Amino acid sequence: MTKLVRVIDMERCMGCRSCIAACHVENHLTPGAPWNVMIEREVGKYPYSRTVFSTMNCMHCEEPACMKACDAIGVKAIHKSELGVVTIDYDKCIGCGYCFAVCPYGVPQETQAENIDNLFPGQDKTPYEAIPAAERHPTHRKKGKTYQKCTFCAHKIDKAVADGKVDRIGKDPEYTPSCDVVCPVSARHFGDLDDPNSEVVKIIGEKKAARLKEEFGTHPQVYYVLEGGDY
Amino acid sequence: MWTKIAAATLMVATSVAFAEKPVQSVELSRVAEKLRNHEIKIEQGPGMDREHGRFHVIHSDVLMLDCSTCHGKPKYREGVLNFSKFKPFPVKAKGQFEKDVCLGCHQEGGIATSFYTPSTTDE
Ligand code: SF4
Ligand code: SF4
């Protein structure tokens, strides 16, 4: 089996936000509905203070509370794939917001209808916006008044599956989430938790990476090398 | 319709919302069970909107939970990695909600629909 996980090393992250920019471009993000955000805070006291940076995205939980809530109301718009990727089907989503309400990390974001047609009102569409819906991956066919969130770059993962290259996920840029590819200080890693030789397994073990808000029992598939205390 | 139900459950639920004795949460669980069995019917469809969505109707009007049960301080705790802390704070909201509160009822084995497994569950 392959279990895809991400490791974010807060000891290395310098807050440059390259991952956030990459996500914006790669996933056709619309204003007000980011898939990846930077959370920073100051620790210590002046003059011995410093800033701790961390990016937040969907944890692709093994027990996704969002999916349970969506299933409970019979909508079943949220799916978890065999590789562990949690995605929302915009065609099924009714925009109730329950996934957001139950997600311990507050991840799903509502797509504002007015924001999906034109990023720069009054101007021509950007080349990304001009891509016809039919040519986009389903996760990039945003619909107003539905919820969206990080998909672990599902379009790339799906491509790896289609190309028979699942073993290259986390290694080849074309099969690896863009945020993890662009980090200039190797603070982000992506790979297979079930492969004992993978980089993610080594980092989780060596640096004692932890999962956030374990008390919810959602078993996130994103690990953090924590810096600056308890989250 | 739900206002009648709310009135009917008022006696039970008010005491339950500010529960001190264990017996009172048994009553809360009965109301929750009735909700799940559709003995208590809610007209509103799924949604977070205070007036038109089921979420607040169930928690506030039927179960009679006080706003402050879930909504606490106007800000998230310092250093909590929570995506939504970067959203503009809703003007009408009674204060940011603490997700930990949900665990009380929505963890497996709790009185409400389960969304969270016990954190000690083996994977
Ligand atoms: S982090 Fe939130 S949105 Fe993502 S899978 Fe877990 S419960 Fe669902
Ligand atoms: S907003 Fe959409 S995806 Fe989220 S719980 Fe409601 S129907 Fe499901």
Side-chain angles (χ1 to χ4, degrees):
Chain A
M1 277 299 282
T2 301
K3 190 194 280 185
L4 297 176
V5 298
R6 168 174 293 141
V7 187
I8 297 174
D9 188 341
M10 289 170 70
E11 285 174 356
R12 295 189 69 85
C13 178
M14 58 176 182
C16 72
R17 293 166 168 76
S18 299
C19 54
I20 289 165
C23 182
H24 269 254
V25 175
E26 185 71 49
N27 291 302
H28 308 259
L29 296 195
T30 53
W35 289 11
N36 188 4
V37 297
M38 171 63 73
I39 293 185
E40 58 176 81
R41 69 170 176 137
E42 259 189 34
V43 293
K45 221 173 169 191
Y46 179 83
Y48 306 109
S49 61
R50 66 198 161 82
T51 308
V52 174
F53 300 100
S54 174
T55 62
M56 275 290 282
N57 38 250
C58 176
M59 305 285 160
H60 296 271
C61 306
E62 287 179 44
E63 298 275 349
C66 57
M67 190 172 87
K68 291 182 186 178
C70 196
D71 286 352
I73 55 169
V75 175
K76 302 190 176 179
I78 301 181
H79 173 72
K80 184 163 176 75
S81 77
E82 269 187 24
L83 298 179
V85 180
V86 177
T87 49
I88 300 176
D89 182 336
Y90 309 136
D91 290 330
K92 289 185 183 162
C93 174
I94 58 168
C96 65
Y98 281 15
C99 50
F100 162 76
V102 302
C103 170
Y105 316 94
V107 165
Q109 306 283 310
E110 187 180 8
T111 310
Q112 308 295 323
E114 62 276 19
N115 285 342
I116 46 174
D117 282 342
N118 208 331
L119 273 180
F120 302 100
Q123 296 181 30
D124 289 343
K125 289 188 175 214
T126 62
Y128 272 104
E129 290 172 284
I131 299 171
E135 288 172 24
R136 297 176 182 210
H137 188 266
T139 57
H140 294 157
R141 293 176 203 151
K142 310 281 174 72
K143 276 174 84 176
K145 295 199 185 304
T146 64
Y147 276 68
Q148 53 171 304
K149 62 166 198 67
C150 156
T151 64
F152 267 174
C153 279
H155 54 296
K156 291 184 163 192
I157 307 295
D158 286 355
K159 188 169 186 300
V161 173
D163 295 351
K165 295 281 176 67
V166 171
D167 60 322
R168 300 306 303 166
I169 295 173
K171 299 182 184 108
D172 293 356
E174 64 176 313
Y175 303 130
T176 304
S178 294
C179 55
D180 302 317
V181 172
V182 300
C183 179
V185 292
S186 297
R188 306 178 70 96
H189 304 270
F190 193 77
D192 180 8
L193 189 69
D194 286 348
D195 171 4
N197 298 315
S198 67
E199 210 181 357
V200 286
V201 168
K202 284 182 196 148
I203 297 169
I204 291 169
E206 282 168 15
K207 299 192 105 176
K208 309 243 180 307
R211 300 183 294 186
L212 305 179
K213 300 199 182 188
E214 293 262 39
E215 68 273 24
F216 286 87
T218 49
H219 305 310
Q221 290 186 211
V222 175
Y223 289 74
Y224 285 81
V225 177
L226 291 174
E227 157 84 78
D230 180 17
Y231 292 85
Chain B
M1 172 65 178
W2 60 263
T3 41
K4 282 186 208 146
I5 296 158
T9 54
L10 182 78
M11 293 292 287
V12 173
T14 308
S15 56
V16 168
F18 304 98
E20 279 173 1
K21 296 180 207 148
V23 66
Q24 291 172 317
S25 50
V26 171
E27 298 298 343
L28 188 60
S29 75
R30 281 194 194 133
V31 180
E33 191 56 41
K34 284 182 178 173
L35 277 162
R36 273 196 300 280
N37 294 339
H38 307 289
E39 276 177 61
I40 296 176
K41 291 200 189 331
I42 311 285
E43 286 167 8
Q44 285 84 345
M48 303 298 295
D49 182 87
R50 179 67 186 86
E51 302 297 328
H52 310 293
R54 284 175 79 86
F55 187 96
H56 280 97
V57 170
I58 287 176
H59 289 97
S60 291
D61 301 328
V62 177
L63 295 169
M64 298 295 285
L65 298 175
D66 187 77
C67 302
S68 63
T69 309
C70 309
H71 295 280
K73 294 169 238 120
K75 277 172 41 181
Y76 281 102
R77 289 195 305 271
E78 168 88 8
V80 169
L81 288 181
N82 195 330
F83 209 101
S84 52
K85 70 197 275 188
F86 283 89
K87 282 285 187 185
F89 194 67
V91 185
K92 287 197 218 155
K94 305 261 182 204
Q96 201 53 260
F97 59 95
E98 294 282 353
K99 302 260 179 184
D100 307 12
V101 177
C102 315
L103 280 176
C105 299
H106 287 284
Q107 199 161 33
E108 226 166 71
I111 62 168
T113 310
S114 141
F115 303 134
Y116 310 109
T117 55
S119 50
T120 47
T121 302
D122 285 343
E123 286 155 35

PDB file of all heavy atoms in Angstrom, chain B residues 52-82:
ATOM      1  N   HIS B  52     -31.438  30.292   8.690  1.00  0.00           N
ATOM      2  CA  HIS B  52     -31.947  29.400   7.645  1.00  0.00           C
ATOM      3  C   HIS B  52     -31.239  28.056   7.550  1.00  0.00           C
ATOM      4  O   HIS B  52     -31.603  27.224   6.732  1.00  0.00           O
ATOM      5  CB  HIS B  52     -31.864  30.110   6.285  1.00  0.00           C
ATOM      6  CG  HIS B  52     -32.468  31.477   6.309  1.00  0.00           C
ATOM      7  ND1 HIS B  52     -33.819  31.660   6.488  1.00  0.00           N
ATOM      8  CD2 HIS B  52     -31.918  32.715   6.226  1.00  0.00           C
ATOM      9  CE1 HIS B  52     -34.074  32.970   6.500  1.00  0.00           C
ATOM     10  NE2 HIS B  52     -32.935  33.622   6.354  1.00  0.00           N
ATOM     11  N   GLY B  53     -30.230  27.857   8.355  1.00  0.00           N
ATOM     12  CA  GLY B  53     -29.496  26.585   8.288  1.00  0.00           C
ATOM     13  C   GLY B  53     -29.739  25.752   9.532  1.00  0.00           C
ATOM     14  O   GLY B  53     -29.950  26.279  10.627  1.00  0.00           O
ATOM     15  N   ARG B  54     -29.718  24.445   9.383  1.00  0.00           N
ATOM     16  CA  ARG B  54     -29.978  23.527  10.498  1.00  0.00           C
ATOM     17  C   ARG B  54     -29.001  23.672  11.657  1.00  0.00           C
ATOM     18  O   ARG B  54     -29.351  23.440  12.809  1.00  0.00           O
ATOM     19  CB  ARG B  54     -29.800  22.071  10.031  1.00  0.00           C
ATOM     20  CG  ARG B  54     -30.868  21.508   9.217  1.00  0.00           C
ATOM     21  CD  ARG B  54     -30.448  20.118   8.765  1.00  0.00           C
ATOM     22  NE  ARG B  54     -30.624  19.103   9.787  1.00  0.00           N
ATOM     23  CZ  ARG B  54     -31.756  18.452   9.991  1.00  0.00           C
ATOM     24  NH1 ARG B  54     -32.803  18.705   9.231  1.00  0.00           N
ATOM     25  NH2 ARG B  54     -31.855  17.542  10.930  1.00  0.00           N
ATOM     26  N   PHE B  55     -27.745  23.992  11.320  1.00  0.00           N
ATOM     27  CA  PHE B  55     -26.680  23.912  12.306  1.00  0.00           C
ATOM     28  C   PHE B  55     -27.000  24.707  13.577  1.00  0.00           C
ATOM     29  O   PHE B  55     -27.039  24.162  14.677  1.00  0.00           O
ATOM     30  CB  PHE B  55     -25.364  24.405  11.680  1.00  0.00           C
ATOM     31  CG  PHE B  55     -24.168  24.209  12.559  1.00  0.00           C
ATOM     32  CD1 PHE B  55     -23.365  23.096  12.416  1.00  0.00           C
ATOM     33  CD2 PHE B  55     -23.835  25.141  13.541  1.00  0.00           C
ATOM     34  CE1 PHE B  55     -22.256  22.905  13.230  1.00  0.00           C
ATOM     35  CE2 PHE B  55     -22.735  24.952  14.354  1.00  0.00           C
ATOM     36  CZ  PHE B  55     -21.942  23.835  14.197  1.00  0.00           C
ATOM     37  N   HIS B  56     -27.260  25.982  13.402  1.00  0.00           N
ATOM     38  CA  HIS B  56     -27.528  26.800  14.585  1.00  0.00           C
ATOM     39  C   HIS B  56     -28.923  26.551  15.151  1.00  0.00           C
ATOM     40  O   HIS B  56     -29.147  26.712  16.348  1.00  0.00           O
ATOM     41  CB  HIS B  56     -27.327  28.289  14.264  1.00  0.00           C
ATOM     42  CG  HIS B  56     -25.889  28.692  14.271  1.00  0.00           C
ATOM     43  ND1 HIS B  56     -25.132  28.767  13.123  1.00  0.00           N
ATOM     44  CD2 HIS B  56     -25.046  29.025  15.287  1.00  0.00           C
ATOM     45  CE1 HIS B  56     -23.893  29.125  13.434  1.00  0.00           C
ATOM     46  NE2 HIS B  56     -23.814  29.288  14.738  1.00  0.00           N
ATOM     47  N   VAL B  57     -29.848  26.163  14.278  1.00  0.00           N
ATOM     48  CA  VAL B  57     -31.197  25.860  14.772  1.00  0.00           C
ATOM     49  C   VAL B  57     -31.120  24.687  15.752  1.00  0.00           C
ATOM     50  O   VAL B  57     -31.701  24.717  16.834  1.00  0.00           O
ATOM     51  CB  VAL B  57     -32.142  25.533  13.581  1.00  0.00           C
ATOM     52  CG1 VAL B  57     -33.470  24.968  14.081  1.00  0.00           C
ATOM     53  CG2 VAL B  57     -32.379  26.781  12.735  1.00  0.00           C
ATOM     54  N   ILE B  58     -30.365  23.667  15.362  1.00  0.00           N
ATOM     55  CA  ILE B  58     -30.238  22.494  16.244  1.00  0.00           C
ATOM     56  C   ILE B  58     -29.499  22.857  17.535  1.00  0.00           C
ATOM     57  O   ILE B  58     -29.985  22.605  18.646  1.00  0.00           O
ATOM     58  CB  ILE B  58     -29.507  21.342  15.511  1.00  0.00           C
ATOM     59  CG1 ILE B  58     -30.433  20.714  14.473  1.00  0.00           C
ATOM     60  CG2 ILE B  58     -29.021  20.279  16.505  1.00  0.00           C
ATOM     61  CD1 ILE B  58     -29.799  19.636  13.632  1.00  0.00           C
ATOM     62  N   HIS B  59     -28.329  23.468  17.377  1.00  0.00           N
ATOM     63  CA  HIS B  59     -27.507  23.696  18.566  1.00  0.00           C
ATOM     64  C   HIS B  59     -28.070  24.779  19.484  1.00  0.00           C
ATOM     65  O   HIS B  59     -28.044  24.641  20.707  1.00  0.00           O
ATOM     66  CB  HIS B  59     -26.073  24.048  18.158  1.00  0.00           C
ATOM     67  CG  HIS B  59     -25.323  22.878  17.588  1.00  0.00           C
ATOM     68  ND1 HIS B  59     -25.199  22.664  16.238  1.00  0.00           N
ATOM     69  CD2 HIS B  59     -24.682  21.845  18.184  1.00  0.00           C
ATOM     70  CE1 HIS B  59     -24.510  21.554  16.024  1.00  0.00           C
ATOM     71  NE2 HIS B  59     -24.177  21.033  17.185  1.00  0.00           N
ATOM     72  N   SER B  60     -28.586  25.847  18.891  1.00  0.00           N
ATOM     73  CA  SER B  60     -29.060  26.967  19.727  1.00  0.00           C
ATOM     74  C   SER B  60     -30.523  26.855  20.101  1.00  0.00           C
ATOM     75  O   SER B  60     -30.893  27.077  21.247  1.00  0.00           O
ATOM     76  CB  SER B  60     -28.908  28.289  18.975  1.00  0.00           C
ATOM     77  OG  SER B  60     -27.592  28.599  18.836  1.00  0.00           O
ATOM     78  N   ASP B  61     -31.358  26.532  19.099  1.00  0.00           N
ATOM     79  CA  ASP B  61     -32.801  26.635  19.347  1.00  0.00           C
ATOM     80  C   ASP B  61     -33.395  25.361  19.920  1.00  0.00           C
ATOM     81  O   ASP B  61     -34.307  25.424  20.739  1.00  0.00           O
ATOM     82  CB  ASP B  61     -33.521  27.006  18.050  1.00  0.00           C
ATOM     83  CG  ASP B  61     -33.011  28.325  17.496  1.00  0.00           C
ATOM     84  OD1 ASP B  61     -32.631  29.180  18.301  1.00  0.00           O
ATOM     85  OD2 ASP B  61     -32.976  28.496  16.266  1.00  0.00           O
ATOM     86  N   VAL B  62     -32.908  24.211  19.490  1.00  0.00           N
ATOM     87  CA  VAL B  62     -33.462  22.956  20.004  1.00  0.00           C
ATOM     88  C   VAL B  62     -32.697  22.497  21.242  1.00  0.00           C
ATOM     89  O   VAL B  62     -33.274  22.255  22.289  1.00  0.00           O
ATOM     90  CB  VAL B  62     -33.446  21.860  18.909  1.00  0.00           C
ATOM     91  CG1 VAL B  62     -33.965  20.550  19.480  1.00  0.00           C
ATOM     92  CG2 VAL B  62     -34.301  22.286  17.724  1.00  0.00           C
ATOM     93  N   LEU B  63     -31.386  22.420  21.109  1.00  0.00           N
ATOM     94  CA  LEU B  63     -30.598  21.964  22.264  1.00  0.00           C
ATOM     95  C   LEU B  63     -30.384  23.089  23.277  1.00  0.00           C
ATOM     96  O   LEU B  63     -29.933  22.849  24.393  1.00  0.00           O
ATOM     97  CB  LEU B  63     -29.253  21.405  21.803  1.00  0.00           C
ATOM     98  CG  LEU B  63     -29.363  20.133  20.946  1.00  0.00           C
ATOM     99  CD1 LEU B  63     -28.028  19.799  20.308  1.00  0.00           C
ATOM    100  CD2 LEU B  63     -29.841  18.964  21.774  1.00  0.00           C
ATOM    101  N   MET B  64     -30.734  24.301  22.851  1.00  0.00           N
ATOM    102  CA  MET B  64     -30.673  25.467  23.737  1.00  0.00           C
ATOM    103  C   MET B  64     -29.285  25.706  24.324  1.00  0.00           C
ATOM    104  O   MET B  64     -29.151  26.117  25.486  1.00  0.00           O
ATOM    105  CB  MET B  64     -31.701  25.336  24.887  1.00  0.00           C
ATOM    106  CG  MET B  64     -33.131  25.271  24.431  1.00  0.00           C
ATOM    107  SD  MET B  64     -33.676  26.777  23.630  1.00  0.00           S
ATOM    108  CE  MET B  64     -33.872  27.862  25.012  1.00  0.00           C
ATOM    109  N   LEU B  65     -28.284  25.436  23.549  1.00  0.00           N
ATOM    110  CA  LEU B  65     -26.937  25.739  24.020  1.00  0.00           C
ATOM    111  C   LEU B  65     -26.730  27.244  23.935  1.00  0.00           C
ATOM    112  O   LEU B  65     -27.078  27.872  22.929  1.00  0.00           O
ATOM    113  CB  LEU B  65     -25.897  25.014  23.155  1.00  0.00           C
ATOM    114  CG  LEU B  65     -25.959  23.484  23.173  1.00  0.00           C
ATOM    115  CD1 LEU B  65     -24.955  22.893  22.196  1.00  0.00           C
ATOM    116  CD2 LEU B  65     -25.689  22.963  24.577  1.00  0.00           C
ATOM    117  N   ASP B  66     -26.183  27.789  24.974  1.00  0.00           N
ATOM    118  CA  ASP B  66     -25.890  29.212  24.972  1.00  0.00           C
ATOM    119  C   ASP B  66     -24.757  29.490  23.986  1.00  0.00           C
ATOM    120  O   ASP B  66     -23.863  28.656  23.807  1.00  0.00           O
ATOM    121  CB  ASP B  66     -25.477  29.647  26.377  1.00  0.00           C
ATOM    122  CG  ASP B  66     -25.337  31.149  26.468  1.00  0.00           C
ATOM    123  OD1 ASP B  66     -26.378  31.810  26.547  1.00  0.00           O
ATOM    124  OD2 ASP B  66     -24.191  31.639  26.432  1.00  0.00           O
ATOM    125  N   CYS B  67     -24.807  30.657  23.350  1.00  0.00           N
ATOM    126  CA  CYS B  67     -23.769  31.009  22.360  1.00  0.00           C
ATOM    127  C   CYS B  67     -22.369  30.784  22.928  1.00  0.00           C
ATOM    128  O   CYS B  67     -21.463  30.308  22.242  1.00  0.00           O
ATOM    129  CB  CYS B  67     -23.884  32.464  21.926  1.00  0.00           C
ATOM    130  SG  CYS B  67     -25.481  32.891  21.226  1.00  0.00           S
ATOM    131  N   SER B  68     -22.246  31.144  24.212  1.00  0.00           N
ATOM    132  CA  SER B  68     -20.909  31.101  24.809  1.00  0.00           C
ATOM    133  C   SER B  68     -20.400  29.672  25.021  1.00  0.00           C
ATOM    134  O   SER B  68     -19.241  29.466  25.331  1.00  0.00           O
ATOM    135  CB  SER B  68     -20.906  31.845  26.149  1.00  0.00           C
ATOM    136  OG  SER B  68     -21.765  31.188  27.044  1.00  0.00           O
ATOM    137  N   THR B  69     -21.307  28.681  24.845  1.00  0.00           N
ATOM    138  CA  THR B  69     -20.859  27.295  24.968  1.00  0.00           C
ATOM    139  C   THR B  69     -19.785  27.014  23.908  1.00  0.00           C
ATOM    140  O   THR B  69     -18.804  26.327  24.164  1.00  0.00           O
ATOM    141  CB  THR B  69     -22.036  26.324  24.761  1.00  0.00           C
ATOM    142  OG1 THR B  69     -23.113  26.720  25.605  1.00  0.00           O
ATOM    143  CG2 THR B  69     -21.640  24.894  25.081  1.00  0.00           C
ATOM    144  N   CYS B  70     -20.007  27.541  22.729  1.00  0.00           N
ATOM    145  CA  CYS B  70     -19.058  27.289  21.632  1.00  0.00           C
ATOM    146  C   CYS B  70     -18.232  28.533  21.306  1.00  0.00           C
ATOM    147  O   CYS B  70     -17.051  28.435  20.990  1.00  0.00           O
ATOM    148  CB  CYS B  70     -19.792  26.863  20.372  1.00  0.00           C
ATOM    149  SG  CYS B  70     -20.940  25.511  20.634  1.00  0.00           S
ATOM    150  N   HIS B  71     -18.887  29.673  21.301  1.00  0.00           N
ATOM    151  CA  HIS B  71     -18.186  30.900  20.914  1.00  0.00           C
ATOM    152  C   HIS B  71     -17.527  31.518  22.133  1.00  0.00           C
ATOM    153  O   HIS B  71     -18.194  31.890  23.089  1.00  0.00           O
ATOM    154  CB  HIS B  71     -19.157  31.907  20.299  1.00  0.00           C
ATOM    155  CG  HIS B  71     -19.740  31.442  19.013  1.00  0.00           C
ATOM    156  ND1 HIS B  71     -19.073  31.514  17.819  1.00  0.00           N
ATOM    157  CD2 HIS B  71     -20.935  30.886  18.732  1.00  0.00           C
ATOM    158  CE1 HIS B  71     -19.839  31.020  16.861  1.00  0.00           C
ATOM    159  NE2 HIS B  71     -20.972  30.629  17.380  1.00  0.00           N
ATOM    160  N   GLY B  72     -16.238  31.633  22.055  1.00  0.00           N
ATOM    161  CA  GLY B  72     -15.528  32.173  23.199  1.00  0.00           C
ATOM    162  C   GLY B  72     -14.928  33.514  22.895  1.00  0.00           C
ATOM    163  O   GLY B  72     -15.623  34.486  22.580  1.00  0.00           O
ATOM    164  N   LYS B  73     -13.629  33.518  22.930  1.00  0.00           N
ATOM    165  CA  LYS B  73     -12.916  34.786  22.743  1.00  0.00           C
ATOM    166  C   LYS B  73     -13.039  35.267  21.303  1.00  0.00           C
ATOM    167  O   LYS B  73     -13.311  34.487  20.402  1.00  0.00           O
ATOM    168  CB  LYS B  73     -11.436  34.561  23.073  1.00  0.00           C
ATOM    169  CG  LYS B  73     -11.189  34.228  24.513  1.00  0.00           C
ATOM    170  CD  LYS B  73      -9.762  33.774  24.692  1.00  0.00           C
ATOM    171  CE  LYS B  73      -9.700  32.382  25.272  1.00  0.00           C
ATOM    172  NZ  LYS B  73      -9.073  31.379  24.535  1.00  0.00           N
ATOM    173  N   PRO B  74     -12.809  36.563  21.082  1.00  0.00           N
ATOM    174  CA  PRO B  74     -12.912  37.072  19.715  1.00  0.00           C
ATOM    175  C   PRO B  74     -11.737  36.670  18.837  1.00  0.00           C
ATOM    176  O   PRO B  74     -11.750  36.925  17.655  1.00  0.00           O
ATOM    177  CB  PRO B  74     -12.965  38.592  19.901  1.00  0.00           C
ATOM    178  CG  PRO B  74     -12.330  38.844  21.213  1.00  0.00           C
ATOM    179  CD  PRO B  74     -12.589  37.633  22.061  1.00  0.00           C
ATOM    180  N   LYS B  75     -10.739  36.035  19.405  1.00  0.00           N
ATOM    181  CA  LYS B  75      -9.562  35.657  18.625  1.00  0.00           C
ATOM    182  C   LYS B  75      -9.174  34.214  18.916  1.00  0.00           C
ATOM    183  O   LYS B  75      -9.460  33.693  19.985  1.00  0.00           O
ATOM    184  CB  LYS B  75      -8.364  36.528  19.033  1.00  0.00           C
ATOM    185  CG  LYS B  75      -8.322  37.865  18.352  1.00  0.00           C
ATOM    186  CD  LYS B  75      -7.258  38.773  18.895  1.00  0.00           C
ATOM    187  CE  LYS B  75      -5.952  38.115  19.195  1.00  0.00           C
ATOM    188  NZ  LYS B  75      -4.970  39.057  19.742  1.00  0.00           N
ATOM    189  N   TYR B  76      -8.504  33.589  17.937  1.00  0.00           N
ATOM    190  CA  TYR B  76      -7.951  32.269  18.203  1.00  0.00           C
ATOM    191  C   TYR B  76      -6.784  32.385  19.165  1.00  0.00           C
ATOM    192  O   TYR B  76      -6.142  33.430  19.233  1.00  0.00           O
ATOM    193  CB  TYR B  76      -7.474  31.611  16.913  1.00  0.00           C
ATOM    194  CG  TYR B  76      -8.597  31.017  16.122  1.00  0.00           C
ATOM    195  CD1 TYR B  76      -9.109  31.675  15.012  1.00  0.00           C
ATOM    196  CD2 TYR B  76      -9.168  29.809  16.497  1.00  0.00           C
ATOM    197  CE1 TYR B  76     -10.150  31.136  14.288  1.00  0.00           C
ATOM    198  CE2 TYR B  76     -10.208  29.266  15.787  1.00  0.00           C
ATOM    199  CZ  TYR B  76     -10.694  29.929  14.682  1.00  0.00           C
ATOM    200  OH  TYR B  76     -11.727  29.393  13.986  1.00  0.00           O
ATOM    201  N   ARG B  77      -6.530  31.282  19.818  1.00  0.00           N
ATOM    202  CA  ARG B  77      -5.402  31.292  20.740  1.00  0.00           C
ATOM    203  C   ARG B  77      -4.111  31.532  19.973  1.00  0.00           C
ATOM    204  O   ARG B  77      -3.946  31.090  18.841  1.00  0.00           O
ATOM    205  CB  ARG B  77      -5.292  29.948  21.465  1.00  0.00           C
ATOM    206  CG  ARG B  77      -6.377  29.706  22.476  1.00  0.00           C
ATOM    207  CD  ARG B  77      -6.002  28.565  23.397  1.00  0.00           C
ATOM    208  NE  ARG B  77      -5.680  27.337  22.678  1.00  0.00           N
ATOM    209  CZ  ARG B  77      -6.560  26.417  22.344  1.00  0.00           C
ATOM    210  NH1 ARG B  77      -7.829  26.592  22.642  1.00  0.00           N
ATOM    211  NH2 ARG B  77      -6.200  25.324  21.713  1.00  0.00           N
ATOM    212  N   GLU B  78      -3.218  32.213  20.613  1.00  0.00           N
ATOM    213  CA  GLU B  78      -1.891  32.471  20.047  1.00  0.00           C
ATOM    214  C   GLU B  78      -1.213  31.160  19.644  1.00  0.00           C
ATOM    215  O   GLU B  78      -1.197  30.200  20.407  1.00  0.00           O
ATOM    216  CB  GLU B  78      -1.058  33.180  21.125  1.00  0.00           C
ATOM    217  CG  GLU B  78       0.412  33.287  20.873  1.00  0.00           C
ATOM    218  CD  GLU B  78       0.766  34.545  20.087  1.00  0.00           C
ATOM    219  OE1 GLU B  78      -0.128  35.376  19.882  1.00  0.00           O
ATOM    220  OE2 GLU B  78       1.918  34.667  19.722  1.00  0.00           O
ATOM    221  N   GLY B  79      -0.707  31.126  18.441  1.00  0.00           N
ATOM    222  CA  GLY B  79       0.091  29.972  18.035  1.00  0.00           C
ATOM    223  C   GLY B  79      -0.696  28.743  17.617  1.00  0.00           C
ATOM    224  O   GLY B  79      -0.107  27.748  17.229  1.00  0.00           O
ATOM    225  N   VAL B  80      -2.031  28.795  17.680  1.00  0.00           N
ATOM    226  CA  VAL B  80      -2.806  27.628  17.253  1.00  0.00           C
ATOM    227  C   VAL B  80      -2.812  27.578  15.734  1.00  0.00           C
ATOM    228  O   VAL B  80      -3.161  28.551  15.079  1.00  0.00           O
ATOM    229  CB  VAL B  80      -4.253  27.696  17.785  1.00  0.00           C
ATOM    230  CG1 VAL B  80      -5.123  26.634  17.139  1.00  0.00           C
ATOM    231  CG2 VAL B  80      -4.253  27.523  19.278  1.00  0.00           C
ATOM    232  N   LEU B  81      -2.380  26.453  15.200  1.00  0.00           N
ATOM    233  CA  LEU B  81      -2.348  26.344  13.748  1.00  0.00           C
ATOM    234  C   LEU B  81      -3.745  26.018  13.248  1.00  0.00           C
ATOM    235  O   LEU B  81      -4.130  24.872  13.136  1.00  0.00           O
ATOM    236  CB  LEU B  81      -1.363  25.263  13.328  1.00  0.00           C
ATOM    237  CG  LEU B  81       0.106  25.624  13.507  1.00  0.00           C
ATOM    238  CD1 LEU B  81       0.985  24.489  13.040  1.00  0.00           C
ATOM    239  CD2 LEU B  81       0.449  26.877  12.724  1.00  0.00           C
ATOM    240  N   ASN B  82      -4.498  27.027  12.990  1.00  0.00           N
ATOM    241  CA  ASN B  82      -5.855  26.852  12.493  1.00  0.00           C
ATOM    242  C   ASN B  82      -6.048  27.774  11.309  1.00  0.00           C
ATOM    243  O   ASN B  82      -5.988  28.986  11.416  1.00  0.00           O
ATOM    244  CB  ASN B  82      -6.858  27.175  13.606  1.00  0.00           C
ATOM    245  CG  ASN B  82      -8.226  26.678  13.267  1.00  0.00           C
ATOM    246  OD1 ASN B  82      -8.584  26.612  12.091  1.00  0.00           O
ATOM    247  ND2 ASN B  82      -9.011  26.336  14.264  1.00  0.00           N
TER     248      ASN B  82
END
